[in-house]
Amino acid sequence: AHVLVEEVAGGAPLVGQGAGLGVELLLEDEFFPVCSRRFANGRLPQHPADLSRYPLLRSQDEFWKPWSEAAGLDWPEPQRGPIFNDSAHLMQAAAEGQGITLAPWTLLGNDLRNGVLVRLFDVEVPSARKHYLVYPQRTANSPKLALFRKWLRDEIDLERTLDAEAPRGDAV
């Protein structure tokens, strides 16, 4: 049986059950500000409003305004600062201390736990991207799929638990 995890944008799977596939939501992603612990010589922002004094790294398809609103800030979308069209380059720039970025939880990997990046605030916003488990419908009751599904969900839960214990920007 072929089993794959598919990331999609816009809240709808790219493939559907009409194609003979089972589709299960695995997780919804969220964004929050991160930066290198060495950024600004370690003088990291302590409050969301402090971000106005720091360079914000931007993405072509993820925007700061929804996060700013969730943080209680009435700010327009930033128009200055570097903009990236590749998420890996954006995360690398943040890790190298070039500024603060909004990071999707699923792209951080071990970077929070290893201290490469630090999360600055508890404010987060949901991403339009969702992660699905997609499989041939005929395998829906397969014991192998059940084990794989359980393993995936356990790994996601473990990652969330470990990341919740990672040092924050105010603990640097």
Side-chain angles (χ1 to χ4, degrees), residues 35-38 94-96 110-118:
C35 66
S36 167
R37 66 178 53 246
R38 298 181 318 262
E96 291 176 0
N110 290 324
D111 287 350
L112 289 178
R113 293 190 297 276
N114 293 338
V116 173
L117 294 168
V118 292

Side-chain angles (χ1 to χ4, degrees), residues 31-33 47-58 62-80 100-103 121-126:
F31 283 81
F32 46 84
H47 306 284
D50 296 342
L51 291 178
S52 66
R53 298 190 306 270
Y54 294 88
L56 301 180
L57 306 176
R58 301 176 296 141
E62 299 296 341
F63 304 101
W64 275 93
K65 185 157 179 54
W67 184 87
S68 299
E69 290 171 353
L73 304 170
D74 186 23
W75 291 355
E77 186 65 29
Q79 299 299 310
R80 61 182 174 81
I100 298 169
T101 191
L102 284 177
F121 314 108
D122 287 333
V123 179
E124 58 190 36
V125 293

Side-chain angles (χ1 to χ4, degrees), residues 9-145:
L14 293 174
V15 294
Q17 288 141 334
L21 298 172
V23 179
E24 296 178 31
L25 179 65
L26 284 175
L27 68 96
E28 298 184 46
D29 214 348
E30 61 271 338
F31 283 81
F32 46 84
V34 298
C35 66
S36 167
R37 66 178 53 246
R38 298 181 318 262
F39 174 68
N41 295 316
R43 291 186 302 275
L44 304 180
Q46 298 299 304
H47 306 284
D50 296 342
L51 291 178
S52 66
R53 298 190 306 270
Y54 294 88
L56 301 180
L57 306 176
R58 301 176 296 141
S59 170
Q60 285 184 324
D61 60 352
E62 299 296 341
F63 304 101
W64 275 93
K65 185 157 179 54
W67 184 87
S68 299
E69 290 171 353
L73 304 170
D74 186 23
W75 291 355
E77 186 65 29
Q79 299 299 310
R80 61 182 174 81
I83 189 164
F84 295 82
N85 63 3
D86 182 282
S87 296
H89 294 155
L90 180 66
M91 294 298 111
Q92 186 64 37
E96 291 176 0
Q98 294 180 25
I100 298 169
T101 191
L102 284 177
W105 175 75
T106 54
L107 279 185
L108 291 172
N110 290 324
D111 287 350
L112 289 178
R113 293 190 297 276
N114 293 338
V116 173
L117 294 168
V118 292
R119 181 174 177 163
L120 295 175
F121 314 108
D122 287 333
V123 179
E124 58 190 36
V125 293
S127 169
R129 292 186 178 97
K130 296 175 179 16
H131 298 267
Y132 292 87
L133 174 64
V134 180
Y135 51 87
Q137 188 62 47
R138 70 181 182 284
T139 64
N141 296 319
S142 161
K144 289 180 181 178
L145 178 60

